[in-house]
Amino acid sequence: MEITGAVALVTGANRGLGRQFAAALLARGAKKVYAAARNPESVDLPGVVPLRLDVTDPESIRAAAAQAGDVTLLVNNAGSSTGSSLLGGSLDDIKLEMDTHYFGTLAVTREFAPILERNGGGAVLNVLSVLSWFTSPQVAAYSAAKSAAWSLTNALRLELAPQKTQVTALHVGYMDTDMAKHVDGPKIDPAVVAGLALDGVGQGRFEVLADDVTRNVRAGLSGDLAGLYPALVS
Ligand SMILES: NC(=O)c1ccc[n+]([C@@H]2O[C@H](COP(=O)([O-])OP(=O)(O)OC[C@H]3O[C@@H](n4cnc5c(N)ncnc54)[C@H](OP(=O)(O)O)[C@@H]3O)[C@@H](O)[C@H]2O)c1
């Protein structure tokens, strides 16, 4: 779809990757950008339309959709990261990851799908991760939720095709945002990632793989699992 002239809504747009999405959308000529956030007062980007939206709160999703009936591009970006393992972590944290990444993305998309259809089809961009395809105990609850969101994204692509809504998945490794501030290794600039993802939406791509680590893990899925998890056989 054309980004120029689009009316976009970005969840979690007050900081991190979401803020970069909102800025890139404006720079590429989007007609309007709803910067959705749990606290709209925290949105500080000039030119956007702040909108209250908590992806885990059905009432807030309904209210946002009632205000943003002109959306043609939905960017499901909001995300949590509790650092919970599945056996040692609290069940509340594990559920929060599913509520945010899986049920949150699903609930927002269900509410906006009829709006996208009424506005000609448009597009959905779901922010996933290399951790949709790889896990470790330190990120296990997050990874499981991102895996569920990956499956959700593939299903939505099929279910939304008849109404001509394209669905793009963004997979990326560590980015330089608050979520990965504890990580010492290399981190990609979220502004670069937002640009690559919007290029992919513009080209009608099913999937955008933003960095080498993501491309390597994706390729590794077709090999023996010991290739991805060498500790299992050492
Ligand atoms: N950073 C990475 O290394 C990395 C790598 C791969 C994928 N991702 C994904 O990229 C996306 C953006 O993450 P980020 O790196 O920009 O993280 P971030 O800087 O921690 O920002 C997270 C954003 O999500 C919002 N959010 C969290 N729960 C929400 C909810 N229930 N409803 C609405 N908004 C909510 C936060 O709002 P508040 O300000 O209100 O908390 C914030 O705006 C996420 O989907 C994340 O999983 C991140």
Side-chain angles (χ1 to χ4, degrees), residues 98 102 128 131-134 142-152:
M98 279 290 174
Y102 177 69
L128 305 175
L131 296 177
S132 305
W133 298 321
F134 181 81
Y142 175 91
S143 291
K146 283 298 199 195
S147 294
W150 174 45
S151 179
L152 162 70

Side-chain angles (χ1 to χ4, degrees), residues 178-204:
D178 292 344
M179 189 176 282
K181 62 173 181 255
H182 62 287
V183 175
D184 283 333
K187 289 181 258 190
I188 187 169
D189 179 348
V192 171
V193 175
L196 290 170
L198 293 180
D199 288 347
V201 172
Q203 294 156 5

Side-chain angles (χ1 to χ4, degrees), residues 12 14-15 17 38 54-55 77 79 127 142 146 173-175 177:
N14 53 316
R15 60 192 175 98
L17 178 64
R38 288 191 281 203
D54 179 336
V55 303
N77 163 81
V127 178
Y142 175 91
K146 283 298 199 195
Y174 284 123
M175 289 184 288
T177 66

